[in-house]
Amino acid sequence: METIYTLEWMKQVARQARADGRVVGLVPTMGALHEGHRSLVRAAQQQCSPVIASIFVNPTQFGPNEDLHKYPQQMDADRAALEELRVDYLFAPTAKEMYPDGFRTYVTVEGLSTRLEGRSRPGHFRGVATVVLKLFEIVQAQYAFFGRKDAQQARIIRQMAADLNLDTQVVVCPTAREADGLAMSSRNAYLGPEERRVATVLYRALDEARKEITTGERDGARLVAVMRGVLDAETLAAVDYADIVDGDTFEPVTRLRRACLAVLAVFVGQTRLIDNMLIEEQDGAFLVAL
Ligand code: AMP
């Protein structure tokens, strides 16, 4: 695996691969790699060669009081993990390279960016959309792979790609989980032992909603109440939001329809965790994917 630090070299390598008729796949990450990231790499390898994984802790998507400066950094371990997966290129630009002095252009996907995660983290999706557009422009991959763990982010990137006529197809992959259901996340490293136990509450709340849906519940408010019941029972957990939303607009729904999401953001101690569950109608029944 070759590690590439500069935009110009990355552009040249990707341009050459496309000229050679190869299908370029991009897996953008912020590093501290876990099984969720690995699953994206494997999905990319099914469809693409070369596969380019990027590691960039993007400062513009962190709020002033967020964890930018303590975000886990483990470049050597990440490089080894990507080597083991036989990734072709690691793209690891510096912040100066991505945001040189005088940088002043940002992308905003309106509406979608101000709900849920966007409401709790003002400016977050502006930073995400901007860095992803830059990565798409630099690499011009045919496919880019994202996790459904960050469902609103994936939706916003899809919207941006459509609105701006980008040639990169956005592929969204399922959420990788620990054995006890906790969604894998680089931020799980912040959890102490007791918090780690409590952190399963997100999965437990979604799973209770899943059971209710399986036995016929269709009412949005009642499903939210079921999730709240599980979440509120954990004194160490503080709910930021718990909702049932339309999978397209991310607006709350009163009754389940076509494609919805159960979405959660919960503080466990100081650590903010998110998770979600896809709820899709098929032939009159609702199928749930956790
Ligand atoms: P991050 O490094 O947290 O910015 O995540 C990089 C990519 O990995 C994003 O597309 C995330 O949605 C995805 N990702 C993060 N956690 C998971 C997970 N548990 N399962 C699948 N994909 C994930």
Side-chain angles (χ1 to χ4, degrees):
M1 182 179 76
E2 184 183 345
T3 303
I4 297 179
Y5 297 99
T6 68
L7 308 191
E8 276 317 313
W9 185 232
M10 186 69 262
K11 276 189 182 177
Q12 200 170 314
V13 165
R15 197 183 299 127
Q16 186 61 51
R18 288 192 311 278
D20 292 343
R22 300 176 72 190
V23 179
V24 180
L26 173 67
V27 181
T29 83
M30 297 206 299
L33 301 180
H34 51 66
E35 186 51 34
H37 300 114
R38 279 193 270 272
S39 69
L40 300 188
V41 166
R42 286 192 212 97
Q45 287 171 328
Q46 303 268 314
Q47 259 174 287
C48 308
S49 171
V51 169
I52 300 165
S54 65
I55 295 183
F56 180 62
V57 181
N58 175 35
T60 64
Q61 71 188 67
F62 288 79
N65 299 317
E66 292 186 355
D67 56 345
L68 172 62
H69 296 293
K70 67 167 188 169
Y71 197 82
Q73 304 253 10
Q74 42 170 69
M75 192 50 98
D76 291 343
D78 287 349
R79 192 181 286 114
L82 296 173
E83 290 270 10
E84 195 180 320
L85 282 164
R86 302 188 164 280
V87 165
D88 300 279
Y89 298 98
L90 164 59
F91 179 42
T94 62
K96 259 261 174 295
E97 182 90 349
M98 290 292 272
Y99 298 107
D101 289 342
F103 183 92
R104 49 176 72 249
T105 304
Y106 293 87
V107 186
T108 305
V109 177
E110 295 194 352
L112 284 171
S113 294
T114 52
R115 295 194 250 288
L116 303 170
E117 283 302 283
R119 180 185 304 182
S120 298
R121 306 184 64 190
H124 171 64
F125 287 125
R126 171 183 184 258
V128 169
T130 301
V131 80
V132 170
L133 179 59
K134 283 172 70 72
L135 291 169
F136 279 17
E137 286 296 324
I138 294 159
V139 176
Q140 307 219 355
Q142 282 94 330
Y143 297 94
F145 297 80
F146 294 87
R148 203 177 61 228
K149 152 88 173 6
D150 301 282
Q152 193 177 3
Q153 167 176 288
R155 172 73 188 86
I156 283 170
I157 292 167
R158 272 223 166 112
Q159 185 73 42
M160 174 182 76
D163 288 349
L164 300 181
N165 311 102
L166 306 182
D167 286 329
T168 304
Q169 297 287 319
V170 174
V171 183
V172 183
C173 304
T175 301
R177 297 178 179 281
E178 302 285 357
D180 61 7
L182 175 65
M184 304 245 180
S185 165
S186 306
R187 291 190 168 95
N188 292 350
Y190 300 150
L191 300 168
E194 175 64 1
E195 291 171 342
R196 172 63 187 80
R197 188 194 61 71
V198 170
T200 59
V201 74
L202 287 88
Y203 177 79
R204 288 184 275 126
L206 293 172
D207 196 46
E208 279 308 306
R210 179 188 64 77
K211 286 181 199 153
E212 292 293 320
I213 293 166
T214 313
T215 55
E217 185 61 78
R218 300 285 177 262
D219 184 83
R222 282 209 288 269
L223 289 168
V224 170
V226 165
M227 296 196 293
R228 281 269 177 185
V230 177
L231 296 166
D232 292 344
E234 282 287 1
T235 48
L236 275 179
V239 180
D240 180 359
Y241 60 75
D243 225 329
I244 306 284
V245 298
D246 183 276
D248 200 37
T249 63
F250 281 77
E251 302 268 21
V253 297
T254 49
R255 280 191 76 73
L256 294 186
R257 52 167 112 122
R258 294 168 336 220
C260 295
L261 288 160
V263 287
L264 302 179
V266 176
F267 281 95
V268 176
Q270 299 292 305
T271 305
R272 188 171 180 280
L273 301 174
I274 60 170
D275 202 346
N276 68 81
M277 171 172 82
L278 185 62
I279 308 161
E280 277 184 316
E281 187 179 8
Q282 251 176 44
D283 306 326
F286 281 94
L287 304 181
V288 169
L290 256 166

